[in-house]
Amino acid sequence: MRPPFEYSIQEAAERLGLPIHTLRRWHEHGILIARRTDGGHRRYSRELIDTLASTNSVSALSRATASDELAAVKRTLEDKRRVIQLLLESEKRYRDLVETSHDLVWTTDAQGRFTYVNAAALEVFGLEPSSVIGRCFFDFETRPAHIANRRFLAKLMRNGEVRNYLTHLKTIHGQDRWIGINARLTATDTGAVIGIRGTARDVTEAQTAMMEMERMAARDHLTGLPNRTALQTQLQQSLESDEHGTVVFLDLDHFRYVNESFGYPAGDQLLIGIAAVLREALESTGAKVFRLGGDEFAIIARTLLRAQAAELTEKSLEAIRQYRCVLRAGHRMWGVSASAGVALYPFHGNDVAGLLSNVDAAMFQAKEAGRNRYVLFGNDPDDRRSTHRRVHWSRKLRDAIDADRIVLHCQPVVRLTDRKTVHYEVLARLRDDDNTLIQPAQFIELAESLGLIREIDLRVVEKVLRHVAANPAPREPLRYFVNLSRVSISDPAWVARFQQLLCSAPVRPGQLVFEITETAAMTEVDVTLKFIERLKEMGHRFALDDFGAGFSSFYYLKRFEVDYIKIDGGFIRDLCEGNSNVLFVRALNDVARGLSKQVIAEGVETKQALDILLQMGTQYGQGYLFRSPYPMEGEIGPESTYRPAVA
């Protein structure tokens, strides 16, 4: 049926008073174009024909197409045709872009079923576009519950659009596809949702690369085992899933000596071998092996409880005992043992931090019990308290080092004859979380046993060097006495770092005097002698600290090339009582003068003690009589607000 707003060609010819063949010619020449119906019939706009008829210009149109009226009509028609042509060309360009795009361009109905997809559907879904129509993203979701896409739809309905939403699909052929989706709702003027439209991009390559990077970040590069991050992730998942099982920490015994005796490449070779041994030994158990760093390994075994955990741990330790590694020139074999801590989850910790703390505590117990064994967490309350104290201080010291909370105080060393300050002794404190100061007596011994004293010694020397460089010395430079631990000077790697630090510092070597306690020096005489010799060659000076508190052997004084001998404060505080301390101090002064060494009396607190020392010829003194320790850089306010312990 013909629409009421159109004329047929016969009606248009009658209305204009023209022959039908004229209208046909005008149509061919583009003067007056008719619309073609599906059946091929011409239809003319009623409005246009009526307008032409009312202008009385039909005869003119029939006589000359160049008349003004016809020209105006022609221009109007040509403008319309040009607009239509531009629209058609624009639509063609759009379709070309869409169809040739590597991105998936799609629309859906209100239920999320595809109503249009471009040619990229073949790459994304493995199907031709026509085969995707009527399906939805859910049909290709990798997870059967469609959790990811349900979240996508919920977010879309809530916000009206979604950008860069990542989802994991599989093609019809089972190939993995990671897709990034941008989408927007389409709705009526009343807000009713009528569909979704958007784009989707195949980001499989980039996502795979990122996942590989994450996998590598959770992998130990030396052994190929999962690392501490992977361990924590798996434990978190197990605890959240209400699983039970066993976690084991393994620490190789005396591994440091392998590095020192054979070099770090040999140590790495040993670690690679241990990793392979543990993997092979536990392959049939379903347990997973991790390397935590250094010489520490870990094992997680799901579902195992006390008896099975003990069996698995002993099996691991025995595999390590039986392992032999060629470490030098193909002929030296090295046997190694390990100490292990065992904890059961969730019974020994229902969160990752607590669980790892407890298994770490059990491992410390195994070390303290003689090594080459394992300890199950919770067996001995006394041992557990002792080990928890070690773990507590280990963390506290580590945090203080990492947060640079090592605070330097100093105490003057004065010339007794005129009480003029000639040197300073540097004293280290740690600032606790509550801003209080932890004294050396509370942490030095534990720091030595935990191996953290090396880092503390280096940090102290670094701070002293910065202080000296920032405070240029007068013509008679002041010297700074710095204590070093026997643990530090016994470590060749630490000594190398220490020497490098000193060489790079813009400070005159004579301004630093390093103190080593008598007990430390006598415990490892050869190590101490070698260290003193190396540092003396660099121009530094040495003091033998706390003399009299240990072996008190005058014979060894001539072996140790030290510049100063510091008498332990316990002897000085009792001088006034007229006991044997007076004889010892007088004899030490006489021996020191004969060996051309200078004496410093520690713990000088009274005028009477000062007078006795002057009579004996002691050159220097240090103690509360002169001044108590105070901050080198003014870190904690006025000296009067605190009273530190006697150094």
Side-chain angles (χ1 to χ4, degrees):
M1 183 175 181
R2 176 169 52 79
F5 51 84
E6 289 182 331
Y7 285 127
S8 67
I9 189 170
Q10 293 85 356
E11 292 172 333
E14 292 175 1
R15 187 79 176 87
L16 295 174
L18 294 172
I20 291 177
H21 65 83
T22 300
L23 291 182
R24 287 175 179 156
R25 188 173 67 252
W26 284 5
H27 174 85
E28 292 171 358
H29 292 166
I31 298 172
L32 187 61
I33 299 174
R35 180 182 73 83
R36 290 281 192 173
T37 66
D38 293 339
H41 302 292
R42 291 182 174 86
R43 294 289 184 264
Y44 293 86
S45 167
R46 181 184 292 270
E47 179 182 1
L48 177 60
I49 297 301
D50 290 344
T51 300
L52 290 174
S54 65
T55 60
N56 297 319
S57 59
V58 175
S59 59
L61 285 173
S62 62
R63 291 192 303 269
T65 59
S67 66
D68 293 340
E69 292 83 355
L70 184 58
V73 172
K74 186 176 181 180
R75 284 196 299 272
T76 301
L77 294 174
E78 286 179 347
D79 288 343
K80 290 183 178 180
R81 186 173 61 179
R82 190 179 303 111
V83 170
I84 293 171
Q85 186 65 28
L86 290 173
L87 289 174
L88 290 173
E89 291 176 358
S90 175
E91 181 182 6
K92 183 176 184 302
R93 284 196 300 270
Y94 170 76
R95 287 190 174 276
D96 288 343
L97 288 172
V98 168
E99 291 303 325
T100 59
S101 173
H102 292 291
D103 290 351
L104 179 70
V105 181
W106 53 272
T107 61
T108 75
D109 58 18
Q111 286 72 44
R113 294 186 294 264
F114 290 118
T115 55
Y116 169 79
V117 290
N118 66 345
L122 183 61
E123 178 63 24
V124 173
F125 302 116
L127 290 172
E128 293 290 344
S130 59
S131 300
V132 177
I133 302 301
R135 295 174 179 253
C136 60
F137 278 117
F138 285 169
D139 295 335
F140 304 93
E141 172 66 53
T142 54
R143 299 174 65 178
H146 307 306
I147 295 174
N149 279 323
R150 292 184 189 280
R151 288 175 180 167
F152 160 71
L153 288 177
K155 186 175 181 180
L156 182 63
M157 294 299 178
R158 184 170 61 252
N159 301 328
E161 67 175 354
V162 173
R163 292 183 177 275
N164 301 318
Y165 186 87
L166 185 67
T167 189
H168 188 194
L169 308 177
K170 279 190 179 295
T171 70
I172 200 69
H173 307 297
Q175 298 167 312
D176 280 311
R177 290 288 185 271
W178 287 93
I179 305 298
I181 302 176
N182 294 319
R184 179 175 294 175
L185 289 176
T186 55
T188 64
D189 294 339
T190 60
V193 175
I194 58 176
I196 310 168
R197 63 184 175 214
T199 60
R201 174 167 294 184
D202 184 350
V203 294
T204 303
E205 185 175 343
Q207 181 66 16
T208 303
M210 184 178 296
M211 292 168 62
E212 179 63 17
M213 289 174 62
E214 292 175 353
R215 188 188 70 82
M216 293 300 294
R219 181 86 38 187
D220 174 56
H221 298 297
L222 178 65
T223 63
L225 294 174
N227 61 14
R228 185 182 292 271
T229 301
L231 172 79
Q232 294 173 334
T233 300
Q234 181 161 331
L235 283 176
Q236 184 67 40
Q237 292 172 351
S238 296
L239 291 171
E240 290 176 353
S241 302
D242 295 326
E243 296 177 354
H244 65 270
T246 297
V247 58
V248 181
F249 274 10
L250 294 156
D251 186 272
L252 300 183
D253 297 329
H254 307 298
F255 178 73
R256 178 166 63 92
Y257 297 109
V258 177
N259 282 333
E260 292 176 358
S261 302
F262 300 96
Y264 289 97
D268 289 346
Q269 182 183 346
L270 177 60
L271 293 172
I272 293 170
I274 294 295
V277 163
L278 289 174
R279 270 190 297 226
E280 183 179 354
L282 303 178
E283 185 176 6
S284 61
T285 66
K288 194 169 184 179
V289 183
F290 302 78
R291 185 190 173 208
L292 306 184
D295 58 346
E296 290 187 342
F297 294 83
I299 301 168
I300 292 180
R302 292 173 173 170
T303 73
L304 298 192
L305 293 180
R306 188 180 298 263
Q308 299 96 327
E311 182 180 345
L312 177 134
T313 306
E314 184 55 48
K315 182 177 183 179
S316 303
L317 293 178
E318 182 61 24
I320 294 174
R321 295 185 196 108
Q322 296 298 322
Y323 177 65
R324 294 293 181 270
C325 183
V326 180
L327 292 179
R328 176 178 290 172
H331 64 272
R332 178 66 183 270
M333 306 295 289
W334 186 275
V336 67
S337 63
S339 303
V342 186
L344 309 177
Y345 61 85
F347 314 104
H348 295 153
N350 54 13
D351 64 271
V352 173
L355 179 62
L356 295 184
S357 174
N358 290 337
V359 71
D360 205 29
M363 188 184 71
F364 272 121
Q365 290 183 37
K367 291 281 188 186
E368 291 185 332
R371 305 175 189 268
N372 193 21
R373 66 195 65 209
Y374 72 88
V375 168
L376 177 65
F377 176 79
N379 278 3
D380 189 327
D382 292 335
D383 288 343
R384 190 163 68 250
R385 279 192 292 270
S386 172
T387 306
H388 271 302
R389 178 173 177 269
R390 288 175 60 87
V391 173
H392 167 76
W393 274 100
S394 175
R395 290 176 178 168
K396 186 182 287 290
L397 292 172
R398 185 74 262 171
D399 289 345
I401 293 170
D402 292 342
D404 194 24
R405 296 203 302 267
I406 299 173
V407 178
L408 299 189
H409 286 55
C410 63
Q411 187 174 34
V413 176
V414 305
R415 189 163 48 220
L416 295 184
T417 54
D418 59 6
R419 299 194 186 185
K420 180 182 179 180
T421 298
V422 291
H423 311 309
Y424 289 100
E425 179 177 1
V426 178
L427 306 165
R429 292 16 179 165
L430 297 182
R431 190 182 300 283
D432 208 347
D433 296 334
D434 60 1
N435 213 35
T436 60
L437 291 182
I438 305 173
Q439 302 298 322
Q442 296 176 259
F443 68 84
I444 291 295
E445 184 179 347
L446 272 168
E448 288 183 335
S449 67
L450 293 168
L452 295 174
I453 193 65
R454 302 181 185 92
E455 192 66 28
I456 292 175
D457 281 352
L458 277 180
R459 294 292 181 89
V460 169
V461 175
E462 286 175 350
K463 285 176 175 285
V464 172
L465 291 172
R466 285 199 298 269
H467 175 82
V468 175
N471 297 274
R475 285 183 300 174
E476 295 182 11
L478 296 170
R479 293 192 175 95
Y480 293 84
F481 286 61
V482 182
N483 292 275
L484 297 179
S485 166
R486 64 176 179 83
V487 176
S488 298
I489 68 174
S490 301
D491 184 347
W494 183 91
V495 172
R497 290 177 62 194
F498 182 65
Q499 287 184 280
Q500 184 178 8
L501 172 64
L502 296 177
C503 289
S504 62
V507 174
R508 283 176 285 181
Q511 289 186 261
L512 295 184
V513 180
F514 297 111
E515 297 185 17
I516 301 174
T517 65
E518 177 203 9
T519 304
M522 297 298 292
T523 301
E524 298 184 75
V525 174
D526 292 337
V527 169
T528 305
L529 289 174
K530 184 178 179 181
F531 180 74
I532 291 175
E533 179 183 356
R534 293 172 70 174
L535 270 292
K536 294 280 279 187
E537 290 175 355
M538 297 174 63
H540 296 285
R541 300 187 175 212
F542 275 87
L544 195 61
D545 194 20
D546 296 337
F547 194 84
F551 297 90
S552 305
S553 173
F554 286 175
Y555 167 76
Y556 278 101
L557 286 180
K558 64 182 181 181
R559 290 196 64 190
F560 292 116
E561 291 295 326
V562 298
D563 303 279
Y564 302 90
I565 299 171
K566 302 187 73 173
I567 307 174
D568 184 70
F571 291 93
I572 306 304
R573 283 186 285 271
D574 294 337
L575 277 180
C576 301
E577 298 180 8
N579 53 26
S580 58
N581 288 350
V582 176
L583 297 176
F584 176 84
V585 175
R586 180 177 289 114
L588 179 57
N589 274 281
D590 293 340
V591 171
R593 274 193 296 272
L595 296 173
S596 299
K597 302 181 189 300
Q598 302 180 68
V599 174
I600 301 173
E602 297 183 298
V604 182
E605 300 181 358
T606 65
K607 178 67 168 58
Q608 294 86 344
L610 173 61
D611 292 339
I612 294 172
L613 291 169
L614 285 169
Q615 293 172 10
M616 295 178 179
T618 306
Q619 295 102 318
Y620 305 106
Q622 176 183 346
Y624 278 87
L625 179 65
F626 312 114
R627 188 169 183 183
S628 60
Y630 61 94
M632 284 183 66
E633 306 294 346
E635 290 98 334
I636 63 168
E639 178 184 344
S640 59
T641 61
Y642 70 98
R643 174 81 172 177
V646 177

